[in-house]
Amino acid sequence: MYIHTPFEENRSYLDTLTKLFNLSALTINEAEFQLVYDELGLQLFKKDEPKLGAIRVDFVTGAVAHRRKFGGGKGQAIAKAVGLNKGAVPTVLDATAGLGRDAFVLASMGCKVVLHERNPVVAALLYDGLQRAYQDAEIGEWVQSTMRLEFGSSHDLLEQAGWRPDVVYLDPMFPHREKSAQVKKEMRVFQDLVGNDLDADALLPFALQLATKRVVVKRPDYAGFLNDKTPSMQIKTKKNRFDVYVNAAMK
Ligand SMILES: C[S@@+](CC[C@H](N)C(=O)[O-])C[C@H]1O[C@@H](n2cnc3c(N)ncnc32)[C@H](O)[C@@H]1O
């Protein structure tokens, strides 16, 4: 993987990232993707996409930061899906963390969230976004106390988890139906990098065993149920839905 910085003083941080996420061993097409660390933080570029397609994690000033301040709070579908509207604040294991946006929304409503991500490049981007958030004067303290990243596959990590979260949250990649021109550039780069999570069905049984209260699966509205399993209830938004599996012991 080609990873570059224009600033010599950031070399050792990049070496740390390379070691933590084993980036030097990556076999993704080096001519196609580049990781660059500059004053904006770590960014992923795809060569044939213009700058708009760059991906980085920004909890401090990005769209999720705006949503934290002005979003719908506990009235949001995701909040209802994890049971936040019922008063209690659940602990959440986000087993398919991606760029951490959903996890951040949940953390900003008070949930403690452990994030699992298996893709080394996505995990490095997320790690870098979290480091910048941890150091921020306004949100640093609560992000440090609510969001923690674990690098690895949930197929292993869920089985080995030494604790039981109230909620396991799953949002695996699903084949996109829209024509590629309609999909946002950033999303296209992300999809090209990660591909589809074709092994996601197998996560549901582990998740159901682990969660003490419920498992929430985010799906595009046209997608079937994960592992063909009918949920206890569904919460729908414009393009997605949350399939909620309430732990039988809680019913
Ligand atoms: C659609 S994205 C999640 C987006 C995320 N909800 C957000 O708000 O940014 C799916 C992510 O899950 C990760 N993933 C899929 N299966 C996984 C597994 N078994 N263990 C860890 N990460 C996984 C993929 O690498 C990808 O980054």
Side-chain angles (χ1 to χ4, degrees):
M1 175 93 209
Y2 181 71
I3 172 162
H4 162 80
T5 180
F7 309 121
E8 206 37 53
E9 65 271 26
N10 294 323
R11 244 311 109 217
S12 72
Y13 176 63
L14 283 194
D15 290 346
T16 305
L17 286 183
T18 305
K19 271 198 205 113
L20 275 178
F21 303 106
N22 211 6
L23 295 173
S24 53
L26 275 187
T27 53
I28 61 171
N29 187 350
E30 298 203 355
E32 209 183 354
F33 290 102
Q34 265 187 16
L35 275 172
V36 176
Y37 186 86
D38 62 16
E39 62 279 356
L40 291 176
L42 191 66
Q43 300 181 78
L44 177 75
F45 290 95
K46 193 170 177 218
K47 284 262 181 70
D48 59 359
E49 295 282 353
K51 223 180 166 188
L52 266 181
I55 295 184
R56 76 183 181 115
V57 173
D58 180 12
F59 297 126
V60 179
T61 61
V64 283
H66 186 268
R67 183 167 165 189
R68 178 177 74 87
K69 286 183 183 147
F70 307 108
K74 292 183 182 168
Q76 296 176 79
I78 188 172
K80 290 183 188 154
V82 301
L84 258 162
N85 58 329
K86 296 196 161 155
V89 180
T91 53
V92 179
L93 197 165
D94 182 346
T96 56
L99 300 173
R101 292 170 183 177
D102 292 333
F104 184 80
V105 170
L106 294 172
S108 66
M109 288 184 280
C111 299
K112 284 202 179 351
V113 189
V114 172
L115 300 88
H116 292 174
E117 177 52 52
R118 69 175 168 187
N119 182 291
V121 175
V122 178
L125 291 166
L126 185 51
Y127 175 91
D128 179 63
L130 282 171
Q131 299 314 302
R132 275 178 283 113
Y134 290 161
Q135 282 151 29
D136 184 71
E138 190 188 336
I139 64 168
E141 211 168 298
W142 72 257
V143 179
Q144 277 188 43
S145 64
T146 51
M147 294 178 77
R148 181 165 57 80
L149 169 65
E150 288 181 9
F151 173 44
S153 171
S154 289
H155 291 291
D156 308 319
L157 296 176
L158 287 183
E159 215 180 350
Q160 298 157 9
W163 65 296
R164 294 193 66 190
D166 296 323
V167 177
V168 175
Y169 183 81
L170 299 171
D171 175 21
M173 297 289 281
F174 192 84
H176 230 285
R177 203 174 59 168
E178 291 166 61
K179 287 199 192 97
S180 57
Q182 289 172 282
V183 182
K184 267 172 67 185
K185 277 205 185 77
E186 192 201 62
M187 195 58 209
R188 226 161 47 212
V189 173
F190 190 75
Q191 279 177 345
D192 289 349
L193 176 76
V194 178
N196 294 315
D197 294 323
L198 298 175
D199 55 357
D201 280 345
L203 289 174
L204 189 60
F206 283 125
L208 289 168
Q209 265 177 25
L210 197 64
T212 59
K213 292 190 174 148
R214 54 177 72 185
V215 175
V216 175
V217 182
K218 185 175 175 185
R219 303 294 270 168
D221 53 5
Y222 53 86
F225 298 133
L226 194 62
N227 207 21
D228 279 335
K229 191 170 169 65
T230 308
S232 326
M233 62 177 173
Q234 291 182 292
I235 295 171
K236 295 186 177 168
T237 65
K238 230 159 121 198
K239 288 194 176 157
N240 296 304
R241 58 167 212 272
F242 296 96
D243 293 340
V244 181
Y245 301 84
V246 177
N247 185 323
M250 298 288 300
K251 280 184 185 166

